[in-house]
Amino acid sequence: MTVPASTPSSGYPPAHGTRGDSVLAPRALAYLNVREGATTVLVTTALAVAIAFLPDPGWRTALWVIVGILAVVSLLIELPWLNRKQVENTSYTATADYVYITRGWLWRRTTVIATAQILNVEVVQGPLLRAFDAVSVRFTCISEVEGLGPLEPRAAERIRATVLHAQAEPAR
């Protein structure tokens, strides 16, 4: 069976891996870099403090070196390269029939959720997302919760309105 090409009125989602109509917020990369940088610093600090309590100075020094190398690698590879690829390769489409999300560069992940299967659309904004004028959207289904973000608040509200409006319409 051949599935027709997706158009907003066709009701069929795009083929696996096809880019969605919309992308993440313009400040998504900055948000991810700050979040991952802070996480790296906090984890590195916690590990360094825990290692300081080891009785053997040889092990202590070796583990501090390993933790330091991992922190530097994280800051030099994850922040400038991996986060950029994540932002560049995440897109979505929200229609009255489905929400289509595609992610990934090496391992492509495509999620299609029929709007009829969505129980709730939650827009989330913590302090860090608020600082970047962004939000995340969580779609709650019977068996899973799918997240999407960071997005601009207007884009999140459009998605929410699209899904909720589609659910409010009588069955076609």
Side-chain angles (χ1 to χ4, degrees):
M1 175 178 153
T2 304
V3 176
S6 174
T7 62
S9 61
S10 74
Y12 291 104
H16 169 70
T18 303
R19 287 194 60 79
D21 295 338
S22 303
V23 295
L24 298 179
R27 296 189 193 127
L29 180 59
Y31 163 77
L32 288 173
N33 284 343
V34 168
R35 188 185 73 188
E36 299 300 327
T39 301
T40 299
V41 168
L42 289 173
V43 168
T44 301
T45 303
L47 288 174
V49 168
I51 291 169
F53 290 104
L54 290 176
D56 184 6
W59 275 106
R60 216 176 17 234
T61 303
L63 289 175
W64 274 335
V65 168
I66 291 170
V67 167
I69 289 171
L70 291 174
V72 168
V73 167
S74 173
L75 293 173
L76 292 178
I77 293 176
E78 184 173 22
L79 297 186
W81 195 73
L82 293 179
N83 285 347
R84 182 175 308 281
K85 288 296 182 187
Q86 178 182 349
V87 170
E88 289 172 354
N89 292 288
T90 299
S91 62
Y92 65 93
T93 301
T95 70
D97 298 315
Y98 59 85
V99 174
Y100 171 83
I101 304 168
T102 184
R103 297 182 175 100
W105 175 56
L106 292 175
W107 290 273
R108 189 59 123 181
R109 178 177 171 211
T110 300
T111 303
V112 180
I113 309 168
T115 54
Q117 301 300 315
I118 297 174
L119 300 174
N120 187 35
V121 180
E122 181 180 17
V123 178
V124 180
Q125 185 182 51
L128 188 55
L129 281 168
R130 192 173 303 113
F132 286 92
D133 191 30
V135 297
S136 289
V137 177
R138 285 190 245 179
F139 304 99
T140 305
C141 301
I142 290 174
S143 65
E144 191 172 327
V145 174
E146 183 66 35
L148 174 63
L151 302 172
E152 291 181 318
R154 289 178 307 213
E157 284 305 317
R158 276 194 306 270
I159 292 170
R160 184 175 177 275
T162 299
V163 170
L164 295 178
H165 179 71
Q167 291 176 339
E169 289 180 1
R172 296 177 227 172

